[in-house]
Amino acid sequence: MNTNALSRFALLAATATTLPLCALASSHREAPSIAGLPRLDGTDFYMFRSYEPGRSAYVTLIANYIPLQDPYGGPNYFNLDPNAVYKIHVDNDGDADSDLTFEFSFKTIEKNFTVNANGVKTATPLIQSGQIDASGATLNVQQTYTLTLVRHGRREAVRNETLGGDVFLKPADNIGTKTIPDYERYAASFVYDVSIPGCEAPGRVFVGQRKDGFVVNLGEVFDLVNLNPVGPRDGEPNTISDKNVTSLALEVPISCLTRGKDPVIGGWTTASLPDGDGDHWKQVSRLGMPLVNELVIGLPDKDKFNASHPLNDGQFLHYVTNPFLPVLLNSEFGSAAVIPASPRNDLVAVFLTGVKGLNQPLKVTPGEMLRLNTSLQPTPPATQNDLGVLGGDLAGFPNGRRPYDDVVDITLRAAEGALCGAIGNCGAETSDPNHGLPYTDGARAAGPDAAHEHVTGEIKAADTYLPFFPYLNTPLPGSPNGLNGVSK
């Protein structure tokens, strides 16, 4: 990171405390306030060049909400909040501010089905009155949504080219195989072609339940890393292999996202609620890079971070340059690695500016978000490396993020200095061979898709992905219980 950038960050840090907060408040219950608002809780954000055949001229953006869904969690299941606005932000000039904002707004339609119970018209307590198909005729509660593009203060509706008009339908969650016998086929009918204002080519959108694609040994990580951090990468189970999530997936032509000669874009997602008088919005959730609010931001500032914007991230700089995670790892496994010296400019590049020569904008204002170099070709599923850039696959995390990228292992290794010297020294110049030991939480996905799965150790065959939009896999059904042994 250059001197001018650090100077600007220092200025941001000095002035940020005078800025008003939007609200109290992302990733799987990571902050005190958002833990009580699951429908607004952003769990994961993905941004990558589409690797579906014939779609490499597109970028896919996926924002996941409502964490840790049990497939059998009826009878109401997991609708999104009709009072909220969910956003996917894109920065295409490096100024840490949103240049393109895609806003998703939801409406819940209650049809109030009744049955004749001995001559009495009785309201049904279930969201379905029979087997569900794409017509929705037997769906008692239906969610629809609209999609709006905000650009330079101008708001324009995104048009549904599949159905006509500007209204989209959200499929019912995967209640079970009796209610929806072929959920994959059913959900596919809710992938819509869209006309995006200012784009010559159409994009695509899907909003609905998916299998949670995040892979983590969740309980043991938070139990003071109660595992062998230098053990096998496939030695522990994916704790959330039996959970679903709700995805807002959007595919947009690259030419509609970039500006000028700079191929790098930044992205993040937020969710907001109306304030008391209904005239303004309070941001309660924010997510760009994975694990930032979980493992980087200190407890007193977690809600503050969820309410903040990348442009004002100077107030959180000390959490990046003097991070907690290496201290924890070295206190638990002190003889295994050396704590890299501070300030951690290597982590500033990973989390705040992008890596120079890889995914840093031509002109950059530091701010936490995913950054993607759209000029780099996508890697086909068969040859994707789940360690991303650390594994020699430049189309993977931290150059954007794909579903298959093992962001937990990558983050653990980066925290211990895997990138020291390569993208920025760690305080004093050093080439300590113990920096960046191959730390792991032991949990790993089976493969980038079902055709290239590798089931070893504790890896579960269900932890794969689709090789086409919307990329995250078909959600697990609520019935029959324990399908495919996922929860066993």
Side-chain angles (χ1 to χ4, degrees):
M1 188 176 185
N2 61 43
T3 302
N4 290 336
L6 280 171
S7 298
R8 177 174 177 78
F9 231 125
L11 177 61
L12 283 171
T15 59
T17 54
T18 66
L19 298 171
L21 289 179
C22 300
L24 293 178
S26 111
S27 44
H28 296 85
R29 296 171 49 85
E30 84 302 329
S33 292
I34 203 63
L37 297 169
R39 291 197 295 179
L40 283 301
D41 188 355
T43 70
D44 286 284
F45 180 66
Y46 304 89
M47 181 171 66
F48 54 93
R49 273 190 66 169
S50 300
Y51 47 87
E52 177 181 344
R55 305 295 291 188
S56 63
Y58 289 78
V59 166
T60 294
L61 307 107
I62 305 173
N64 287 348
Y65 283 85
I66 314 181
L68 305 176
Q69 296 177 19
D70 291 319
Y72 47 80
N76 295 301
Y77 297 95
F78 305 98
N79 280 339
L80 290 160
D81 192 335
N83 296 314
V85 59
Y86 301 82
K87 301 180 182 181
I88 294 177
H89 304 264
V90 176
D91 170 19
N92 61 16
D93 59 6
D95 66 354
D97 201 5
S98 183
D99 297 296
L100 304 170
T101 304
F102 297 92
E103 296 186 350
F104 296 77
S105 299
F106 292 85
K107 180 179 180 181
T108 302
I109 301 170
E110 297 179 353
K111 301 178 183 177
N112 298 317
F113 289 160
T114 61
V115 296
N116 186 335
N118 292 325
V120 177
K121 186 181 291 187
T122 301
T124 178
L126 303 178
I127 68 168
Q128 83 274 36
S129 62
Q131 196 172 93
I132 295 174
D133 59 24
S135 72
T138 61
L139 194 56
N140 196 17
V141 179
Q142 173 80 67
Q143 279 209 307
T144 66
Y145 62 97
T146 56
L147 179 56
T148 303
L149 172 62
V150 182
R151 178 172 46 195
H152 306 306
R154 182 178 179 181
R155 303 174 58 86
E156 299 179 89
V158 175
R159 178 178 171 79
N160 188 332
E161 291 297 336
T162 302
L163 300 180
D166 57 6
V167 176
F168 303 84
L169 302 176
K170 175 182 175 291
D173 293 338
N174 197 355
I175 297 169
T177 57
K178 186 175 182 180
T179 297
I180 311 174
D182 187 349
Y183 194 88
E184 182 176 4
R185 182 177 180 182
Y186 165 73
S189 64
F190 295 85
V191 174
Y192 299 112
D193 292 329
V194 296
S195 288
I196 302 172
C199 293
E200 295 182 359
R204 290 188 292 188
V205 69
F206 170 84
V207 173
Q209 193 178 50
R210 297 282 90 190
K211 184 184 182 302
D212 197 332
F214 187 46
V215 173
V216 62
N217 183 9
L218 193 62
E220 294 184 354
V221 167
F222 290 127
D223 185 23
L224 297 177
V225 194
N226 187 15
L227 49 84
N228 179 6
V230 292
R233 293 188 62 214
D234 57 359
E236 300 288 343
N238 172 25
T239 312
I240 59 175
S241 185
D242 60 347
K243 303 297 183 182
N244 292 329
V245 74
T246 300
S247 295
L248 286 65
L250 185 63
E251 189 182 53
V252 183
I254 293 173
S255 60
C256 298
L257 295 175
T258 56
R259 176 185 295 185
K261 296 181 179 180
D262 195 343
V264 176
I265 59 173
W268 68 99
T269 183
T270 62
S272 301
L273 287 170
D275 67 7
D277 59 18
D279 294 330
H280 300 90
W281 293 90
K282 301 183 300 184
Q283 181 180 302
V284 297
S285 184
R286 167 190 171 187
L287 180 61
M289 295 283 287
L291 303 171
V292 168
N293 211 355
E294 284 180 311
L295 294 176
V296 178
I297 303 299
L299 188 59
D301 286 327
K302 285 181 178 290
D303 290 336
K304 189 176 182 180
F305 179 83
N306 271 347
S308 68
H309 305 277
L311 185 61
N312 302 325
D313 279 349
Q315 60 191 312
F316 307 115
L317 175 62
H318 64 286
Y319 288 122
V320 179
T321 57
N322 300 275
F324 155 81
L325 185 56
V327 177
L328 172 63
L329 294 174
N330 284 276
S331 70
E332 298 297 321
F333 315 103
S335 62
V338 176
I339 300 177
S342 295
R344 292 293 302 278
N345 296 334
D346 60 319
L347 297 184
V348 170
V350 171
F351 289 111
L352 301 174
T353 65
V355 178
K356 192 171 184 178
L358 177 67
N359 64 342
Q360 186 178 111
L362 297 177
K363 297 181 179 179
V364 62
T365 296
E368 189 277 308
M369 65 184 75
L370 274 181
R371 297 188 190 272
L372 174 68
N373 186 340
T374 63
S375 70
L376 295 176
Q377 290 292 321
T379 304
T383 53
Q384 288 183 11
N385 189 303
D386 65 347
L387 290 176
V389 172
L390 289 183
D393 184 356
L394 298 185
F397 182 77
N399 180 33
R401 179 187 176 189
R402 305 165 303 195
Y404 184 48
D405 291 333
D406 190 344
V407 295
V408 176
D409 281 13
I410 298 169
T411 300
L412 287 171
R413 296 177 185 204
E416 284 298 295
L419 297 171
C420 286
I423 62 173
N425 70 62
C426 303
E429 288 290 348
T430 180
S431 59
D432 194 298
N434 288 319
H435 282 162
L437 283 176
Y439 272 25
T440 179
D441 68 332
R444 193 176 184 186
D449 62 13
H452 303 96
E453 70 175 23
H454 303 281
V455 181
T456 61
E458 294 286 342
I459 288 179
K460 297 183 178 181
D463 292 330
T464 59
Y465 309 92
L466 301 176
F468 50 82
F469 186 84
Y471 294 98
L472 296 181
N473 226 327
T474 303
L476 303 169
S479 165
N481 292 328
L483 185 70
N484 296 327
V486 168
S487 61
K488 296 179 180 178

